Amino acid sequence: MIKHTIGIDLGGTNIKAALVSEKGEIIKVIAQPTEAQSGAVKVIENIKKVIADIIRYAERGFIIIGIGVGTPGFVNDYGVIIGGANNIPGWNGTDIKTLLEKEFGLMTKIENDVTALTLGEALFGSGSGYKNIICLALGTGLGGGIIIDGKLYRGSQGCAGEFGHIVVQPDGFDCTCGRKGCLEAYASAIGIDNIANQMMKKNESIKIKDTRPITIYSLAKQGNRIAKKIVQEVGNYLGIGIGSLVNIFDPDVVIIGGGISKSGKILFDSIYPSLYKHCLKFYEGKIKLLPTKFQDYSGVVGAASLILKDF
Amino acid sequence: MIKHTIGIDLGGTNIKAALVSEKGEIIKVIAQPTEAQSGAVKVIENIKKVIADIIRYAERGFIIIGIGVGTPGFVNDYGVIIGGANNIPGWNGTDIKTLLEKEFGLMTKIENDVTALTLGEALFGSGSGYKNIICLALGTGLGGGIIIDGKLYRGSQGCAGEFGHIVVQPDGFDCTCGRKGCLEAYASAIGIDNIANQMMKKNESIKIKDTRPITIYSLAKQGNRIAKKIVQEVGNYLGIGIGSLVNIFDPDVVIIGGGISKSGKILFDSIYPSLYKHCLKFYEGKIKLLPTKFQDYSGVVGAASLILKDF
């Protein structure tokens, strides 16, 4: 019998839950508002609700062997969130693993959301068949994940892969982490807003009302000059960051996911010139950027793969 | 019986050879000019000479199980130098492994010099007992090595760990790799020369005759204002690069080797303020920079450890 896992992708706005087969096929997806501002207790309640819904759905004959959860923040070896999950009040310190195992009696694994996404893409998605993979998720912030020799690399304290905090511009834009010049401050929804605001500050005739990535990339596709300039600037910094990562890791592939990656070709085209300018010549024209296979569902497949990787 | 290995550290100026025990103890060291400018054939001749000398020495009762060689440049899975060894004319493409195995009938392993050094320090030196280690060697250029879960990480083509080519200053100093703004162009003998020249260009009253690292660090120790400023600038960029690496790897320790590291406390003190300003706050005050244990001999111990790691 084919085995299945429940994958939970905990976002700041929505919780997505999916029933995923051991082959990485998505059988069923449901979503539920996170209600992050109501705090950790409410968020746990909502997670339990979507899990219960998937279990009910699975009663028609699917065998569930475990639950995987991708969460914002850093996760230690025991599945406890040890920091960095500042978009959900009270979430740091939560032992979600024990709570869910008690409630559902299923093996449960917790991991940083982008780390889990990276694993899912490595096992079943764009990274399938490759050994050494780096992944960047471009959303509100910028997260990263590392696969070394086919296995997840978590770092010594579970905090590896913070590609959003590679310094790409000494004394540059303020970053949410409290530092300056981080990649996230240039190449994320926050970064796009920073770049747009700087352009408006430098030139009063420029007015940008809506700095959301979806708007900027859509305007750029339509040929809007200002939007194109922002897209180019974001691509330039992504090329600097990814160029450094390629020189560090010598990876097989680089995967780009997250909400912003849905803008597609225009984003990838904006990165390559800077990437090939900043990686060692050895890699020029060779290193490939791949979009995630599972796009909006790369988070749930990733979460499920935390369990599936051992089967 | 204790087993021994021959470790060869091939530098641009000297070849060092050592007899190293399986416990990482150095029994005997000899050196020989590389004569790099005479080309690859002469260099191989010189390598064979020092190996023969060590074998002769070992005849008094040491059992030799293999030969490890640390070389400049990138090395593929078959021990062939595939590029990057530009300081020895004709060295790229050399199949040194096959040549030495034929000559001496001993198992032979070839690796990039800094990668080998990192392994030696991980097994027997400053990294002993740690799982995840990054190492920077500050010499004429800047090399790096990565230990993941106690094992050497070589990358997909044997080129991982090029920390010298992390971009730390967009459109900054020209680098020997043909790019701009690489860490090596700021934090190496070449980098120190770049920074000194820039200072002289900016201020004609500044005259620096000797920009060798040994001179600059020694003058800085004596309180020379200009030298102190150069040391601080190098430390600033090292902090940016190492800060990014810490955020990427979440390592147990960071090891600093290479000729410049012999300047000691003044170098380490110059890095910490910038490192703690550029790593995530999570690591502030925690992450430790360690000097190599074997200093001048970290290259030969590293080369020997290519064989010893499997025993």
Side-chain angles (χ1 to χ4, degrees), chain A residues 132 146 153 155-159 161-162 165 167-168 170 179 244 247-250 252 276-277 279 282-284, chain B residues 132 146 153 155-159 161-162 165 167-168 170 179 244 247-250 252 276-277 279 282-284:
Chain A
N132 302 312
I146 303 165
Y153 173 65
S156 294
Q157 298 154 96
C159 307
E162 285 295 319
H165 305 285
V167 181
V168 290
R179 306 314 199 185
S244 293
N247 295 341
I248 292 168
F249 283 103
D250 180 17
D252 294 304
Y276 287 161
K277 190 176 137 191
C279 64
F282 189 79
Y283 300 106
E284 198 176 331
Chain B
N132 303 311
I146 302 166
Y153 174 65
S156 294
Q157 299 156 94
C159 307
E162 285 296 319
H165 305 285
V167 181
V168 291
R179 309 312 202 185
S244 293
N247 295 341
I248 291 167
F249 283 102
D250 181 16
D252 293 305
Y276 288 162
K277 190 177 139 190
C279 65
F282 189 78
Y283 299 107
E284 198 176 331

Side-chain angles (χ1 to χ4, degrees), chain B residues 21-22 39 58 62 66 104 121 154 172 175 200 286 298-299:
Chain B
S21 83
E22 65 186 31
F62 296 99
F104 298 105
E121 287 292 328
R154 304 185 73 253
C175 184
M200 289 190 276
K286 286 184 206 156
S298 49

Side-chain angles (χ1 to χ4, degrees), chain A residues 28-153:
Chain A
K28 170 80 180 170
V29 181
I30 54 178
Q32 150 81 38
T34 306
E35 301 183 275
Q37 290 318 310
S38 304
V41 174
K42 185 70 186 170
V43 170
I44 290 163
E45 204 177 285
N46 288 333
I47 292 174
K48 285 182 180 172
K49 197 155 96 186
V50 288
I51 294 175
D53 286 350
I54 293 279
I55 290 175
R56 218 165 5 253
Y57 175 87
E59 279 166 4
R60 64 194 66 189
F62 295 98
I63 298 167
I64 298 177
I65 54 167
I67 301 167
V69 180
T71 168
F74 304 127
V75 179
N76 73 9
D77 288 345
Y78 308 102
V80 178
I81 291 102
I82 53 169
N86 304 322
N87 54 350
I88 304 174
W91 196 242
N92 291 332
T94 306
D95 181 3
I96 178 83
K97 178 181 157 73
T98 304
L99 283 169
L100 295 181
E101 284 188 339
K102 270 195 188 152
E103 181 84 13
F104 298 105
L106 285 163
M107 173 174 47
T108 302
K109 292 198 179 173
I110 319 293
E111 191 49 271
N112 169 272
D113 46 7
V114 183
T115 307
L117 179 158
T118 304
L119 181 66
E121 287 292 326
L123 290 182
F124 305 113
S126 299
S128 176
Y130 294 110
K131 277 170 63 182
N132 302 312
I133 302 165
I134 57 172
C135 177
L136 293 86
L138 316 179
T140 309
L142 192 161
I146 303 165
I147 302 287
I148 297 283
D149 211 10
K151 285 190 301 186
L152 210 49
Y153 173 65

Side-chain angles (χ1 to χ4, degrees), chain B residues 206-247:
Chain B
I206 295 174
K207 301 269 178 242
I208 311 163
K209 278 179 212 151
D210 179 358
T211 65
R212 286 176 305 161
I214 192 166
T215 312
I216 298 294
Y217 282 88
S218 143
L219 282 173
K221 277 181 200 170
Q222 292 160 34
N224 179 289
R225 198 176 52 83
I226 306 290
K228 278 167 77 178
K229 224 173 154 182
I230 296 172
V231 167
Q232 196 190 353
E233 188 81 344
V234 174
N236 179 43
Y237 281 104
L238 279 171
I240 290 174
I242 299 173
S244 293
L245 285 170
V246 166
N247 295 341

Side-chain angles (χ1 to χ4, degrees), chain A residues 7 36 48 55 71 80 103 113 148-149 164 173 175 194 203 231-233 240 245 247 256 269 279-280 288 294 301-302:
Chain A
K48 285 182 180 172
I55 290 175
T71 168
V80 178
E103 181 84 13
D113 46 7
I148 297 283
D149 211 10
F173 289 149
C175 184
N194 286 341
N203 183 341
V231 166
Q232 196 190 351
E233 187 82 345
I240 291 174
L245 286 170
N247 295 341
I256 314 269
D269 285 351
C279 64
L280 287 166
K288 285 281 168 282
F294 297 108
V301 173

